[in-house]
Amino acid sequence: MTVKKIECGDGTYKVRTCAWSPPGDHPVGCGMYLTVKDGKVVKAEGDPEHPITNGRLCVRCLALPEWIYNDKRITTPMKRDPRDRGLDKWEPITWDEAMDIIEAKVREIHEKYGYEYIATFQGTGRVATLYAPSLAFAALQTPNAGSVLAGESCYGPRCCVANFILGAGYPELDYAAFFPERYDDPRYKVPEYIVIWGKNPLYSNPDGLFGHAIIDLQKRGSKFIVIDPRITWCAAHAAFHLQLRPGTDAALGLGIANIIIQEDLYDHEFVENWCYGFDEFAERAAEYPPERVEEITWVPKETIIAAARAIGNADPCSFLWGVALDENPNGVQAGHTFLAIVAITGNLDVPGGVTLAVPASFMGKWRYDCSLQIPPEVYDKQIINPVHKAYVARQQGHPDSMLDALETGVPYKVKMAWFIGTNPLPNMGVQTKRWEEAFKTLELNVIQDTTMTPSAMAFCDIFLPVSTFAEQTGIVLPHFGRNTHMLGVTNQAIDMDCKSDLEIAMMIGKRLNPKAWPWETVEDFFTEQIQTKLDMTYEDLQDENLIQLDFEYKKYEKGLLRSDGYPGFNTPTGLVELRASIYPDWDEDPLPYFKEPPFSPLSKPELADEYPLVLTTGGRMIPYFHSEGRQIPSLRDLVPDPIVTINPKTAAKYGIEQGDWVRMRSPFGECIQKANLTIEVDERVIHATHGWWFPEQDGEAPNLYGTYKANVNNLIPHHVVGHMGWGAPYKCMICSIAKVDSMEDYDPTYPTEPYEVDPDYSLDLKTLMHFGKFDPEHPEETYKLAYASDRKEA
């Protein structure tokens, strides 16, 4: 396909495009022009006619030429003998050679062991998110599609809670993104307040939301209510900042709901017509009066009451919920409470409130149909701890259960892994030394990425080079199709002989399961997907560059959220389920509740002297997308080191000064980061950044680009998740701190004896087995459930 070029008259031309990844970012679809000279991208600049971003770009997009031509970029497939894992002994090969090796091994495993003995692991946010499950289901034909992110603690929990409670796709702040006239559209109303809960949108632009939109709204009069343990920019400019103790979101939410109900600030008409279980929910919320909530959360009751009144009286009030609700074993309940507040205040799918859509507006049917490629008898072998009944219903492999299986062989151990858009060692996995050792036992590991990473160096055998968005033909779907306000095009500006994630899936899919991959080109594929909703081809979309999609408010009144066309919500009751009717089937309380974090000063008082501080992690940094970008000079100059944020009073207590290297330690491990002293955090809390590795260091094992030295996930326990399978304590852990001399002289130490866990709150099978609490021959004694009967019931 010929891409439209805008000739500049000086030997250069421009290509108009919408960005997604790689390099990373969520599917905001930032509009830009790429200037090409002599076949190379020399400049990225904003597209002022883009209706959402209006010409604004962040530093990651501006640094695109650096990324494409960085000396660490890999542009040819490579292989390595599995016996040389950890060593830089890669050999270049052709794409056909790479596919031959992979195809032969997949067919061998299918014949020798079974289809389920292969697993895929995807990252978060990249365009690969659209294609990784289908690579597993429709190409490799395995049910084991997932990630290494403990408790799948990013986006997925919120999406699932929205499905359970609303029967709708991801609910999002209404920032007039559907309308060509944006905020001036007569249908739109600027929100009086915006509740920003566990999210820092200016730094993260998460999941399809253009973060700067909240500044646009602030200029038009919106005020912020920020719920965050840190004083972010938004918190510093908020009408109310509820600086809660990490991990206590559910208690705070129930407390806010209680005030709204007790003071009669809820929307009676919406509650009476469209909500199920209000009386029971009100009774549960009444268990959380302001005094109790203050004691739990550390937020003054006066602030809680004032913020609740502002939410209840606002007309309208909009809401943002972030990953902080996912990275918490109590996060499902916190998300339930969040949606309940949005609902009872009448802010669901109204102008300036929170927009709704069906769960998968675009490409969802294709991804679901791909899962049907797996015969039921094979799907039943998906690796999920059967205790997590709700997760069984999700039809996706459970990360913690996968590590358990790799380490114990229960229920079986896979033989091959494929990594798509993920760098698990420095970024997603907890206890990543264990993941590394487990992956090194597999027969073949394949990774697709743009640059060599610690994960690729540690345990992979085939490296497939992925094209940047400047080199690929693609599509942009904000919220991955779940609440999509626009459809954008990624236009190929140059060719580096790399392949997109979709092209790689099609290449191997056509070899292994050609009936599931009938398209000749990616353009043919996109045309078919577009035409499930719109009367246009991919070429038509290219002519437009992007289109904003039609939108209607109050879809629940018009039968637009249900497949049967009836008014209401796509839930068992047809209503917003303040009391979740399906939860009892999964042995879960149908009403939200607060549960103390599994490792906190209150839940583990015997550890409080040794680990007196609360650790929260993962705050976003503008130059980086998770572990991406550390090798890009202009980005690294902005944030050169991993940062732990400490209150100055706390630092003084431990003899720590600005810029000192600080060792953080928990019962599970340790790491070091550089101290930044600021009142941004409470004296009882520290915050550490994530995703760190050092491309300038030795890449070979055991150093692996220094990834373990600064890896805060060393401190987070394995398989300590919520009852339903979601949420790990990335953002609510206990720790100690101490000054260290330098990074060069530091090597992390690991506990010589594992911390003894209890099956009631942890299902870390290897550790349970170490202490005689798990018998691989009789796993049901630990699970309290039998595999086959539970899976069938779920």
Side-chain angles (χ1 to χ4, degrees), residues 215-270:
I215 304 302
D216 296 339
L217 290 170
Q218 187 185 42
K219 292 176 180 178
R220 286 164 172 79
S222 295
K223 300 175 183 178
F224 298 159
I225 298 172
V226 175
I227 300 173
D228 199 303
R230 298 189 298 145
I231 305 175
T232 62
W233 188 94
C234 291
H237 294 79
F240 303 98
H241 177 207
L242 286 68
Q243 192 173 11
L244 75 169
R245 174 165 65 95
T248 61
D249 302 79
L252 181 58
L254 286 163
I256 290 171
N258 178 53
I259 294 163
I260 290 170
I261 295 169
Q262 293 295 326
E263 299 194 3
D264 199 23
L265 301 177
Y266 65 93
D267 186 324
H268 284 254
E269 181 179 1
F270 187 86

Side-chain angles (χ1 to χ4, degrees), residues 114 153 198 399 406 562 611 705:
S153 301
L406 290 171
R562 296 175 58 92
Y611 305 104
Y705 301 106

Side-chain angles (χ1 to χ4, degrees), residues 613-643:
L613 299 173
V614 177
L615 168 67
T616 185
T617 74
R620 303 303 186 240
M621 297 168 283
I622 287 177
Y624 305 125
F625 180 70
H626 296 304
S627 67
E628 286 189 349
R630 304 306 194 281
Q631 79 278 21
I632 307 301
S634 66
L635 302 182
R636 189 69 179 276
D637 285 346
L638 295 174
V639 182
D641 300 303
I643 297 297

Side-chain angles (χ1 to χ4, degrees), residues 410-581:
V410 177
Y412 58 89
K413 180 178 177 179
V414 301
K415 304 298 180 180
M416 172 183 167
W418 193 315
F419 302 89
I420 311 107
T422 183
N423 182 15
L425 290 189
N427 187 40
M428 298 178 78
V430 303
Q431 299 299 297
T432 45
K433 266 289 185 186
R434 292 171 59 177
W435 280 105
E436 180 194 350
E437 294 306 315
F439 286 138
K440 287 196 296 189
T441 67
L442 304 190
E443 295 179 12
L444 182 71
N445 293 317
V446 178
I447 194 165
Q448 52 195 68
D449 213 323
T450 60
T451 190
M452 185 56 62
T453 65
S455 304
M457 185 66 79
F459 48 72
C460 290
D461 313 304
I462 301 291
F463 190 107
L464 303 177
V466 177
S467 54
T468 68
F469 66 79
E471 305 155 47
Q472 60 181 249
T473 297
I475 201 167
V476 179
L477 287 171
H479 294 289
F480 314 97
R482 290 185 176 92
N483 193 350
T484 299
H485 54 264
M486 73 164 208
L487 198 57
V489 163
T490 302
N491 280 315
Q492 183 178 356
I494 57 170
D495 187 0
M496 301 277 286
D497 196 32
C498 300
K499 306 292 183 184
S500 70
D501 295 293
L502 175 57
E503 287 175 314
I504 293 171
M506 290 178 67
M507 289 174 70
I508 194 63
K510 284 179 175 293
R511 286 170 171 248
L512 294 169
N513 190 23
K515 70 179 186 298
W517 302 88
W519 309 279
E520 291 301 318
T521 66
V522 293
E523 292 89 349
D524 294 340
F525 168 80
F526 288 129
T527 289
E528 182 173 310
Q529 300 308 313
I530 291 168
Q531 289 182 342
T532 63
K533 296 290 181 180
L534 301 170
D535 184 20
M536 66 188 311
T537 66
Y538 184 75
E539 290 85 350
D540 296 333
L541 184 60
Q542 279 192 308
D543 289 339
E544 300 288 337
N545 190 56
L546 68 87
I547 59 171
Q548 288 169 280
L549 302 175
D550 293 336
F551 184 79
E552 290 191 53
Y553 289 113
K554 296 190 176 182
K555 288 180 283 295
Y556 53 85
E557 294 183 346
K558 305 165 187 175
L560 299 177
L561 293 177
R562 296 175 58 92
S563 59
D564 58 15
Y566 283 97
F569 294 82
N570 194 30
T571 62
T573 61
L575 304 170
V576 175
E577 297 206 341
L578 305 178
R579 181 188 188 279
S581 61

